Amino acid sequence: MQHQKTFNAASIAALALRLVVGWTYFSAFWRRLVLENKLIQDEAGYIGEKFNHFLPNALGIKPVIEYLVTHPDALWINMVAFTIIEGIVGLAMILGLFTRLMSIGIFLLAFGILLASGWIGTTCLDEWQIGILGLASGFTLFLTGSSYLSLDAYFMQKNLRFTQTKWFKILGSGELNLFPYKRILLAVVVFIIGLTLFTNQYFHGGVFGTLHNKSVKPKLEISNLKIDRNEISFEVFRVEGVDVYGSFLIGISLQDAADNYLLQLNGSDLAKLSPKTINNHYVAKIKPGAHSLIIPLGAKATIRIPIFGQPNLQNGHYTLTLTDISGLVWTAHL
């Protein structure tokens, strides 16, 4: 009798985890397609632009992300596929259908989230927590399967023939003799704990040393600064800052070695900047706003600005300065 009570308590505990984790992933599908369609390209809220935000500081998979954000059609296909997979995995987990197979899906989805966006989070390291807890939850649900209020349990109670097979116990639910694999399971536990500590330190300095959060202040990187007669060109790439709104550039200036201003644009000037002067590289686009030049997280573009009244600027020393509305400035020298 005591064994039966313990078993039921354990089943209900796994049920709570299964339902919560299942809804966490299914709700992503629900939000993107049912409550609001976020899979429409070139519209505000497009999930592909959110994916672009992950690029600057992703761990190990930056080449994959960069390929996708430079190939919009491939990006859209992957965003649709990712959303559908999240929906299937989440719903199947809620229903307790092929629980162990779905737990592997949750583990892999969480691993991708962790590597891509574990560095994002303005206050509570949001994406890192989602990723690392998803890993631990997926592993736990693989071990427990579904033995209470689930389709797996229903099929087993009906003694359906396929539930008696070894593959169902591996992919669905049921008792598994995991004792011979004890060392492997402990190795997975060590891997998850090690990855937790490593990514917490790598992304946020959360284990030792100085804490850092790359989702608080905007940071721009300037490269390929060139001056050709009466035109200045440069690449700007936003690599840090809050992901839900852009950096608002209110100043671009160019000075010579004697600190004379050869170019000086304020927020109003940048708001009127012709889109033809901006060559965006990724899905997240730099564009003029109402009072500034807006630079979303992960956006990268080549900007070309004509310089009037200053012939033959090819020789000399110059300083380019970009000014954010927050007061932050970034400079590059030529």
Side-chain angles (χ1 to χ4, degrees):
M1 179 65 72
Q2 184 63 36
H3 173 75
Q4 185 65 31
K5 291 181 179 179
T6 304
F7 174 79
N8 289 338
S11 300
I12 294 173
L15 172 66
L17 181 63
R18 175 165 61 83
L19 294 178
V20 170
V21 172
W23 174 251
T24 299
Y25 286 87
F26 180 75
S27 65
F29 167 86
W30 189 257
R31 293 192 311 270
R32 290 177 206 154
L33 282 180
V34 179
L35 299 183
E36 183 180 355
N37 193 339
K38 295 185 177 182
L39 291 173
I40 301 177
Q41 294 176 323
D42 300 323
E43 285 198 7
Y46 173 48
I47 189 62
E49 186 169 339
K50 172 70 175 178
F51 185 74
N52 196 161
H53 296 165
F54 302 160
L55 174 63
N57 298 288
L59 175 61
I61 59 173
K62 285 180 68 173
V64 175
I65 297 176
E66 186 163 25
Y67 174 83
L68 291 175
V69 297
T70 53
H71 295 78
D73 291 340
L75 174 63
W76 182 82
I77 292 172
N78 277 268
M79 291 299 97
V80 171
F82 188 80
T83 299
I84 292 173
I85 291 171
E86 281 189 308
I88 293 173
V89 169
L91 182 60
M93 185 58 72
I94 292 172
L95 297 175
L97 178 63
F98 293 109
T99 304
R100 289 196 169 104
L101 177 61
M102 296 305 113
S103 71
I104 295 173
I106 284 174
F107 189 95
L108 295 176
L109 288 170
F111 190 59
I113 291 171
L114 178 66
L115 296 183
S117 60
W119 64 280
I120 292 179
T122 55
T123 56
C124 298
L125 316 185
D126 308 331
E127 302 289 346
W128 177 80
Q129 290 179 341
I130 292 171
I132 209 66
L133 289 174
L135 285 176
S137 299
F139 176 66
T140 300
L141 289 169
F142 179 83
L143 297 180
T144 64
S146 295
S147 56
Y148 194 80
L149 291 181
S150 69
L151 290 179
D152 284 349
Y154 175 79
F155 294 147
M156 287 187 291
Q157 289 171 1
K158 293 295 182 180
N159 289 318
L160 298 180
R161 180 176 299 179
F162 71 89
T163 64
Q164 308 303 318
T165 61
K166 183 177 180 180
W167 67 263
F168 179 80
K169 292 183 179 180
I170 295 174
L171 302 180
S173 296
E175 292 187 11
L176 281 179
N177 180 16
L178 295 175
F179 183 79
Y181 308 101
K182 181 179 178 180
R183 292 184 179 180
I184 296 176
L185 296 177
L186 288 175
V188 176
V189 172
V190 171
F191 169 76
I192 292 174
I193 294 174
L195 189 64
T196 299
L197 297 177
F198 170 73
T199 53
N200 192 212
Q201 176 64 30
Y202 180 84
F203 288 135
H204 306 290
V207 180
F208 60 85
T210 304
L211 286 169
H212 54 267
N213 191 337
K214 296 180 179 179
S215 296
V216 177
K217 296 181 180 180
K219 179 181 178 182
L220 305 181
E221 292 183 352
I222 306 170
S223 60
N224 294 329
L225 175 59
K226 298 177 183 178
I227 295 178
D228 185 12
R229 296 183 182 178
N230 65 339
E231 182 182 80
I232 179 175
S233 67
F234 60 93
E235 286 185 356
V236 60
F237 182 25
R238 184 176 161 206
V239 296
E240 293 183 16
V242 181
D243 58 318
V244 293
Y245 57 82
S247 168
F248 301 101
L249 212 61
I250 59 170
I252 295 181
S253 65
L254 181 69
Q255 294 172 272
D256 61 17
D259 292 334
N260 298 312
Y261 283 97
L262 309 178
L263 176 70
Q264 197 168 15
L265 303 178
N266 59 27
S268 298
D269 299 324
L270 295 175
K272 300 173 184 176
L273 202 63
S274 170
K276 294 181 180 179
T277 65
I278 305 171
N279 179 24
N280 283 289
H281 297 231
Y282 304 144
V283 172
K285 300 185 184 305
I286 298 174
K287 57 186 177 182
H291 307 288
S292 63
L293 188 66
I294 302 174
I295 307 180
L297 180 61
K300 184 177 184 181
T302 299
I303 300 177
R304 293 181 173 85
I305 302 175
I307 304 174
F308 299 106
Q310 301 290 340
N312 194 22
L313 295 177
Q314 291 179 317
N315 299 318
H317 300 278
Y318 304 96
T319 300
L320 174 70
T321 302
L322 308 183
T323 304
D324 185 75
I325 195 171
S326 65
L328 294 171
V329 296
W330 303 274
T331 60
H333 302 280
L334 179 64

Short mmCIF file of all heavy atoms in Angstrom, two decimals, residues 20-60:
data_model
loop_
_atom_site.label_atom_id
_atom_site.label_comp_id
_atom_site.label_asym_id
_atom_site.label_seq_id
_atom_site.Cartn_x
_atom_site.Cartn_y
_atom_site.Cartn_z
N VAL A 20 3.38 21.70 -17.56
CA VAL A 20 3.98 23.03 -17.61
C VAL A 20 4.97 23.14 -18.77
O VAL A 20 4.95 24.10 -19.55
CB VAL A 20 4.67 23.37 -16.27
CG1 VAL A 20 5.49 24.65 -16.40
CG2 VAL A 20 3.64 23.54 -15.17
N VAL A 21 5.86 22.15 -18.90
CA VAL A 21 6.84 22.17 -19.99
C VAL A 21 6.13 22.07 -21.33
O VAL A 21 6.47 22.76 -22.30
CB VAL A 21 7.85 21.02 -19.82
CG1 VAL A 21 8.75 20.91 -21.05
CG2 VAL A 21 8.69 21.27 -18.58
N GLY A 22 5.12 21.21 -21.42
CA GLY A 22 4.36 21.09 -22.66
C GLY A 22 3.72 22.40 -23.08
O GLY A 22 3.80 22.80 -24.24
N TRP A 23 3.11 23.09 -22.13
CA TRP A 23 2.48 24.37 -22.46
C TRP A 23 3.52 25.43 -22.82
O TRP A 23 3.30 26.27 -23.70
CB TRP A 23 1.62 24.88 -21.29
CG TRP A 23 1.08 26.25 -21.58
CD1 TRP A 23 1.45 27.41 -20.99
CD2 TRP A 23 0.11 26.59 -22.57
NE1 TRP A 23 0.78 28.47 -21.54
CE2 TRP A 23 -0.07 27.99 -22.52
CE3 TRP A 23 -0.63 25.85 -23.49
CZ2 TRP A 23 -0.96 28.66 -23.35
CZ3 TRP A 23 -1.52 26.52 -24.33
CH2 TRP A 23 -1.67 27.91 -24.25
N THR A 24 4.67 25.38 -22.16
CA THR A 24 5.74 26.34 -22.48
C THR A 24 6.08 26.30 -23.96
O THR A 24 6.24 27.35 -24.60
CB THR A 24 7.00 26.04 -21.65
OG1 THR A 24 6.69 26.16 -20.26
CG2 THR A 24 8.12 27.01 -21.99
N TYR A 25 6.17 25.11 -24.52
CA TYR A 25 6.53 24.99 -25.93
C TYR A 25 5.33 25.14 -26.86
O TYR A 25 5.42 25.77 -27.91
CB TYR A 25 7.27 23.67 -26.17
CG TYR A 25 8.67 23.71 -25.64
CD1 TYR A 25 8.94 23.39 -24.31
CD2 TYR A 25 9.72 24.13 -26.44
CE1 TYR A 25 10.22 23.47 -23.79
CE2 TYR A 25 11.01 24.21 -25.93
CZ TYR A 25 11.25 23.89 -24.62
OH TYR A 25 12.52 23.99 -24.10
N PHE A 26 4.20 24.58 -26.47
CA PHE A 26 3.01 24.73 -27.31
C PHE A 26 2.56 26.19 -27.37
O PHE A 26 2.06 26.65 -28.40
CB PHE A 26 1.87 23.86 -26.78
CG PHE A 26 0.61 23.96 -27.60
CD1 PHE A 26 0.53 23.34 -28.84
CD2 PHE A 26 -0.47 24.71 -27.15
CE1 PHE A 26 -0.63 23.45 -29.61
CE2 PHE A 26 -1.63 24.82 -27.91
CZ PHE A 26 -1.70 24.19 -29.15
N SER A 27 2.74 26.93 -26.28
CA SER A 27 2.31 28.33 -26.26
C SER A 27 3.08 29.17 -27.27
O SER A 27 2.57 30.18 -27.75
CB SER A 27 2.47 28.92 -24.86
OG SER A 27 3.84 28.98 -24.48
N ALA A 28 4.33 28.77 -27.59
CA ALA A 28 5.09 29.49 -28.61
C ALA A 28 4.37 29.38 -29.96
O ALA A 28 4.23 30.36 -30.70
CB ALA A 28 6.50 28.93 -28.70
N PHE A 29 3.93 28.17 -30.28
CA PHE A 29 3.12 27.96 -31.49
C PHE A 29 1.82 28.75 -31.42
O PHE A 29 1.42 29.40 -32.38
CB PHE A 29 2.83 26.46 -31.64
CG PHE A 29 1.78 26.12 -32.65
CD1 PHE A 29 2.09 25.95 -33.98
CD2 PHE A 29 0.45 25.96 -32.26
CE1 PHE A 29 1.11 25.64 -34.91
CE2 PHE A 29 -0.53 25.64 -33.17
CZ PHE A 29 -0.20 25.49 -34.51
N TRP A 30 1.16 28.72 -30.27
CA TRP A 30 -0.13 29.39 -30.09
C TRP A 30 0.01 30.90 -30.29
O TRP A 30 -0.82 31.53 -30.95
CB TRP A 30 -0.65 29.06 -28.70
CG TRP A 30 -2.06 29.49 -28.44
CD1 TRP A 30 -2.47 30.57 -27.72
CD2 TRP A 30 -3.25 28.84 -28.89
NE1 TRP A 30 -3.83 30.65 -27.69
CE2 TRP A 30 -4.34 29.59 -28.40
CE3 TRP A 30 -3.50 27.70 -29.65
CZ2 TRP A 30 -5.66 29.23 -28.65
CZ3 TRP A 30 -4.81 27.34 -29.89
CH2 TRP A 30 -5.88 28.11 -29.41
N ARG A 31 1.06 31.48 -29.72
CA ARG A 31 1.26 32.93 -29.82
C ARG A 31 1.57 33.35 -31.25
O ARG A 31 1.11 34.40 -31.70
CB ARG A 31 2.42 33.38 -28.91
CG ARG A 31 2.15 33.26 -27.43
CD ARG A 31 3.22 34.01 -26.63
NE ARG A 31 4.58 33.68 -27.05
CZ ARG A 31 5.29 32.70 -26.55
NH1 ARG A 31 4.76 31.89 -25.63
NH2 ARG A 31 6.53 32.47 -26.96
N ARG A 32 2.37 32.54 -31.95
CA ARG A 32 2.86 32.97 -33.26
C ARG A 32 1.84 32.77 -34.38
O ARG A 32 1.92 33.46 -35.40
CB ARG A 32 4.13 32.19 -33.62
CG ARG A 32 5.33 32.58 -32.80
CD ARG A 32 6.53 31.72 -33.16
NE ARG A 32 7.46 31.62 -32.05
CZ ARG A 32 8.29 30.61 -31.88
NH1 ARG A 32 8.28 29.60 -32.74
NH2 ARG A 32 9.11 30.59 -30.85
N LEU A 33 0.92 31.83 -34.20
CA LEU A 33 -0.01 31.55 -35.29
C LEU A 33 -1.47 31.81 -34.96
O LEU A 33 -2.24 32.17 -35.84
CB LEU A 33 0.15 30.09 -35.74
CG LEU A 33 1.36 29.78 -36.63
CD1 LEU A 33 1.39 28.31 -36.98
CD2 LEU A 33 1.33 30.62 -37.89
N VAL A 34 -1.87 31.63 -33.72
CA VAL A 34 -3.28 31.76 -33.36
C VAL A 34 -3.59 33.14 -32.81
O VAL A 34 -4.45 33.85 -33.33
CB VAL A 34 -3.69 30.67 -32.35
CG1 VAL A 34 -5.16 30.82 -31.97
CG2 VAL A 34 -3.43 29.28 -32.93
N LEU A 35 -2.88 33.55 -31.76
CA LEU A 35 -3.15 34.85 -31.17
C LEU A 35 -2.70 35.99 -32.09
O LEU A 35 -3.36 37.03 -32.18
CB LEU A 35 -2.44 34.97 -29.82
CG LEU A 35 -2.87 33.95 -28.75
CD1 LEU A 35 -2.14 34.22 -27.45
CD2 LEU A 35 -4.38 33.98 -28.54
N GLU A 36 -1.61 35.78 -32.79
CA GLU A 36 -1.08 36.79 -33.72
C GLU A 36 -0.13 36.09 -34.68
O GLU A 36 0.76 35.36 -34.25
CB GLU A 36 -0.35 37.90 -32.94
CG GLU A 36 0.17 39.02 -33.82
CD GLU A 36 0.88 40.09 -33.01
OE1 GLU A 36 0.88 39.99 -31.75
OE2 GLU A 36 1.45 41.00 -33.61
N ASN A 37 -0.31 36.33 -35.96
CA ASN A 37 0.54 35.68 -36.95
C ASN A 37 1.88 36.41 -37.04
O ASN A 37 1.97 37.51 -37.59
CB ASN A 37 -0.15 35.67 -38.32
CG ASN A 37 0.56 34.73 -39.30
OD1 ASN A 37 1.73 34.39 -39.12
ND2 ASN A 37 -0.15 34.31 -40.32
N LYS A 38 2.90 35.78 -36.50
CA LYS A 38 4.23 36.37 -36.49
C LYS A 38 5.15 35.72 -37.53
O LYS A 38 6.37 35.86 -37.44
CB LYS A 38 4.85 36.26 -35.10
CG LYS A 38 4.10 37.06 -34.04
CD LYS A 38 4.80 37.02 -32.71
CE LYS A 38 4.08 37.88 -31.67
NZ LYS A 38 4.78 37.90 -30.37
N LEU A 39 4.55 35.04 -38.48
CA LEU A 39 5.34 34.39 -39.53
C LEU A 39 5.20 35.09 -40.88
O LEU A 39 5.57 34.53 -41.90
CB LEU A 39 4.92 32.91 -39.65
CG LEU A 39 5.31 32.03 -38.47
CD1 LEU A 39 4.69 30.65 -38.60
CD2 LEU A 39 6.83 31.93 -38.33
N ILE A 40 4.67 36.30 -40.85
CA ILE A 40 4.52 37.07 -42.09
C ILE A 40 5.74 37.95 -42.26
O ILE A 40 6.03 38.82 -41.42
CB ILE A 40 3.24 37.93 -42.07
CG1 ILE A 40 2.01 37.05 -41.88
CG2 ILE A 40 3.12 38.73 -43.36
CD1 ILE A 40 0.72 37.82 -41.77
N GLN A 41 6.48 37.74 -43.32
CA GLN A 41 7.69 38.51 -43.59
C GLN A 41 7.35 39.98 -43.82
O GLN A 41 6.29 40.32 -44.31
CB GLN A 41 8.43 37.95 -44.80
CG GLN A 41 8.98 36.55 -44.59
CD GLN A 41 9.63 35.99 -45.84
OE1 GLN A 41 9.17 36.22 -46.95
NE2 GLN A 41 10.70 35.25 -45.67
N ASP A 42 8.30 40.84 -43.46
CA ASP A 42 8.19 42.29 -43.70
C ASP A 42 7.07 42.94 -42.91
O ASP A 42 6.64 44.05 -43.25
CB ASP A 42 8.03 42.60 -45.19
CG ASP A 42 9.21 42.10 -46.02
OD1 ASP A 42 10.34 42.18 -45.53
OD2 ASP A 42 8.98 41.62 -47.15
N GLU A 43 6.56 42.26 -41.88
CA GLU A 43 5.58 42.88 -40.99
C GLU A 43 6.14 42.96 -39.58
O GLU A 43 6.99 42.15 -39.19
CB GLU A 43 4.26 42.09 -40.98
CG GLU A 43 3.43 42.28 -42.24
CD GLU A 43 1.98 41.84 -42.03
OE1 GLU A 43 1.61 41.53 -40.88
OE2 GLU A 43 1.24 41.83 -43.03
N ALA A 44 5.68 43.96 -38.83
CA ALA A 44 6.16 44.13 -37.47
C ALA A 44 5.87 42.88 -36.65
O ALA A 44 4.79 42.31 -36.72
CB ALA A 44 5.47 45.34 -36.84
N GLY A 45 6.86 42.45 -35.88
CA GLY A 45 6.71 41.27 -35.05
C GLY A 45 7.12 39.97 -35.71
O GLY A 45 7.01 38.90 -35.09
N TYR A 46 7.61 40.04 -36.96
CA TYR A 46 8.04 38.82 -37.66
C TYR A 46 9.10 38.10 -36.83
O TYR A 46 10.09 38.69 -36.41
CB TYR A 46 8.59 39.20 -39.03
CG TYR A 46 9.23 38.05 -39.79
CD1 TYR A 46 8.59 36.82 -39.92
CD2 TYR A 46 10.49 38.20 -40.38
CE1 TYR A 46 9.19 35.77 -40.61
CE2 TYR A 46 11.07 37.17 -41.08
CZ TYR A 46 10.42 35.95 -41.19
OH TYR A 46 11.01 34.92 -41.88
N ILE A 47 8.87 36.81 -36.60
CA ILE A 47 9.74 36.04 -35.72
C ILE A 47 11.16 35.93 -36.27
O ILE A 47 12.13 35.75 -35.52
CB ILE A 47 9.14 34.63 -35.48
CG1 ILE A 47 9.91 33.89 -34.38
CG2 ILE A 47 9.10 33.82 -36.76
CD1 ILE A 47 9.85 34.56 -33.04
N GLY A 48 11.32 36.07 -37.59
CA GLY A 48 12.65 36.02 -38.18
C GLY A 48 13.55 37.14 -37.70
O GLY A 48 14.76 36.97 -37.54
N GLU A 49 12.95 38.33 -37.44
CA GLU A 49 13.74 39.44 -36.92
C GLU A 49 14.17 39.15 -35.49
O GLU A 49 15.28 39.48 -35.08
CB GLU A 49 12.94 40.74 -36.99
CG GLU A 49 13.74 41.95 -36.59
CD GLU A 49 13.05 43.26 -36.91
OE1 GLU A 49 12.15 43.27 -37.77
OE2 GLU A 49 13.42 44.28 -36.29
N LYS A 50 13.28 38.53 -34.70
CA LYS A 50 13.65 38.12 -33.35
C LYS A 50 14.82 37.15 -33.40
O LYS A 50 15.76 37.24 -32.60
CB LYS A 50 12.44 37.48 -32.66
CG LYS A 50 12.73 36.84 -31.32
CD LYS A 50 13.02 37.86 -30.25
CE LYS A 50 13.19 37.19 -28.90
NZ LYS A 50 13.53 38.16 -27.83
N PHE A 51 14.78 36.22 -34.34
CA PHE A 51 15.86 35.25 -34.50
C PHE A 51 17.16 35.98 -34.83
O PHE A 51 18.24 35.59 -34.37
CB PHE A 51 15.48 34.27 -35.61
CG PHE A 51 16.45 33.15 -35.81
CD1 PHE A 51 16.53 32.10 -34.90
CD2 PHE A 51 17.30 33.12 -36.91
CE1 PHE A 51 17.43 31.06 -35.08
CE2 PHE A 51 18.19 32.09 -37.10
CZ PHE A 51 18.26 31.05 -36.18
N ASN A 52 17.07 37.05 -35.64
CA ASN A 52 18.24 37.85 -36.00
C ASN A 52 18.90 38.46 -34.76
O ASN A 52 20.11 38.65 -34.72
CB ASN A 52 17.82 38.94 -36.98
CG ASN A 52 18.97 39.59 -37.71
OD1 ASN A 52 18.78 40.21 -38.76
ND2 ASN A 52 20.17 39.48 -37.19
N HIS A 53 18.08 38.76 -33.74
CA HIS A 53 18.62 39.36 -32.52
C HIS A 53 19.61 38.43 -31.83
O HIS A 53 20.48 38.90 -31.09
CB HIS A 53 17.48 39.68 -31.54
CG HIS A 53 16.53 40.71 -32.05
ND1 HIS A 53 15.28 40.92 -31.48
CD2 HIS A 53 16.62 41.59 -33.07
CE1 HIS A 53 14.66 41.89 -32.12
NE2 HIS A 53 15.44 42.30 -33.10
N PHE A 54 19.50 37.13 -32.06
CA PHE A 54 20.37 36.17 -31.39
C PHE A 54 21.80 36.20 -31.93
O PHE A 54 22.73 35.76 -31.25
CB PHE A 54 19.84 34.74 -31.55
CG PHE A 54 18.45 34.52 -31.03
CD1 PHE A 54 17.70 33.44 -31.46
CD2 PHE A 54 17.89 35.39 -30.11
CE1 PHE A 54 16.42 33.22 -30.98
CE2 PHE A 54 16.60 35.18 -29.62
CZ PHE A 54 15.86 34.09 -30.06
N LEU A 55 21.98 36.70 -33.14
CA LEU A 55 23.24 36.53 -33.88
C LEU A 55 24.50 37.01 -33.17
O LEU A 55 25.47 36.26 -33.11
CB LEU A 55 23.12 37.20 -35.26
CG LEU A 55 24.39 37.24 -36.10
CD1 LEU A 55 24.86 35.84 -36.45
CD2 LEU A 55 24.18 38.06 -37.37
N PRO A 56 24.54 38.24 -32.64
CA PRO A 56 25.85 38.79 -32.23
C PRO A 56 26.64 37.94 -31.25
O PRO A 56 27.87 37.87 -31.35
CB PRO A 56 25.47 40.14 -31.63
CG PRO A 56 24.19 40.51 -32.27
CD PRO A 56 23.46 39.21 -32.46
N ASN A 57 25.98 37.32 -30.28
CA ASN A 57 26.71 36.62 -29.22
C ASN A 57 26.28 35.17 -29.04
O ASN A 57 26.45 34.60 -27.96
CB ASN A 57 26.54 37.38 -27.90
CG ASN A 57 27.12 38.78 -27.97
OD1 ASN A 57 28.34 38.97 -28.00
ND2 ASN A 57 26.25 39.78 -28.00
N ALA A 58 25.71 34.58 -30.08
CA ALA A 58 25.35 33.16 -30.02
C ALA A 58 26.60 32.31 -29.82
O ALA A 58 27.70 32.68 -30.24
CB ALA A 58 24.62 32.75 -31.29
N LEU A 59 26.43 31.18 -29.17
CA LEU A 59 27.56 30.32 -28.83
C LEU A 59 27.61 29.11 -29.76
O LEU A 59 26.73 28.25 -29.72
CB LEU A 59 27.44 29.85 -27.37
CG LEU A 59 28.48 28.85 -26.86
CD1 LEU A 59 29.88 29.43 -26.96
CD2 LEU A 59 28.16 28.44 -25.43
N GLY A 60 28.62 29.05 -30.63
CA GLY A 60 28.86 27.87 -31.45
C GLY A 60 28.04 27.75 -32.72
O GLY A 60 28.41 27.00 -33.62
#
